[in-house]
């Protein structure tokens, strides 16, 4: 994913990763997004899928100057279940626009913006229950 105006750079994830270009959903990191992500489950009824949002963070060791790549995944996992009847979209912004991770092992979760699936030009307020 790349930051910029809305654009699908490579929509075919069957031959490798899909690539999107998206604006920052929460430029002030306030929990109020400028757009929302909506998803629904399709396919045979009584099946489900899960998704965890992860991101790589590059840091530099202050002593050695060595670049370190660390992958952080959110503690919140999105689960979508296909039930019988017509499926409907739900707001999944909390799961796909932020990563809630304990970055410095102090027991406090920090939100980092990240990845998406479907977008609506609707602002929203993201609430977290600890």
């Amino acid at each position: 994913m790349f930051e910029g105006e809305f654009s699908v750079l490579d929509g075919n994830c069957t031959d490798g990763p899909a690539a999107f270009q998206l604006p920052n959903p929460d430029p002030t990191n306030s929990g109020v997004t400028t757009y929302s992500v909506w998803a629904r489950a399709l396919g045979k009824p009584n099946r489900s899928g899960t998704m965890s949002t992860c991101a790589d963070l590059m840091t530099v060791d202050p002593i050695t100057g060595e670049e370190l790549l660390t992958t952080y995944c959110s503690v919140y996992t999105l689960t979508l279940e296909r039930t019988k009847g017509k499926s409907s979209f739900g707001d999944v912004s909390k799961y796909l626009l932020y990563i809630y991770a304990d970055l410095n092992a102090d027991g406090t979760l920090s939100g980092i913006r990240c990845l998406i699936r479907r977008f609506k030009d609707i602002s929203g307020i993201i609430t977290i229950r600890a």
Side-chain angles (χ1 to χ4, degrees):
M1 184 177 90
F2 302 93
E3 190 170 335
E5 293 299 314
F6 284 107
S7 182
V8 176
L9 304 175
D10 180 0
N12 186 358
C13 63
T14 61
D15 64 355
F20 298 92
Q21 179 174 290
L22 302 168
N24 183 343
D26 184 359
T28 62
N29 202 25
S30 64
V32 178
T33 61
T34 58
Y35 59 90
S36 300
V37 182
W38 293 67
R40 68 177 175 168
L42 297 175
K44 293 182 180 182
N46 301 318
R47 296 193 181 193
S48 64
T50 60
M51 180 186 307
S52 295
T53 301
C54 301
D56 292 330
L57 180 64
M58 182 68 71
T59 58
V60 177
D61 185 302
I63 297 170
T64 65
E66 179 184 0
E67 289 187 339
L68 305 169
L69 182 65
T70 305
T71 300
Y72 293 95
C73 294
S74 185
V75 297
Y76 293 113
T77 301
L78 172 63
T79 300
L80 293 174
E81 183 177 353
R82 175 66 170 106
T83 57
K84 290 183 179 181
K86 183 179 177 184
S87 63
S88 58
F89 283 94
D91 186 350
V92 296
S93 301
K94 170 183 171 180
Y95 301 96
L96 300 181
L97 290 179
Y98 295 87
I99 294 175
Y100 300 92
D102 186 357
L103 297 179
N104 58 8
D106 67 354
T108 304
L109 295 180
S110 301
I112 313 172
R113 69 181 192 282
C114 197
L115 192 47
I116 39 4
R117 281 293 173 242
R118 272 223 170 164
F119 316 96
K120 288 194 173 192
D121 191 13
I122 302 171
S123 65
I125 297 174
I126 308 301
T127 56
I128 305 303
R129 292 190 183 120

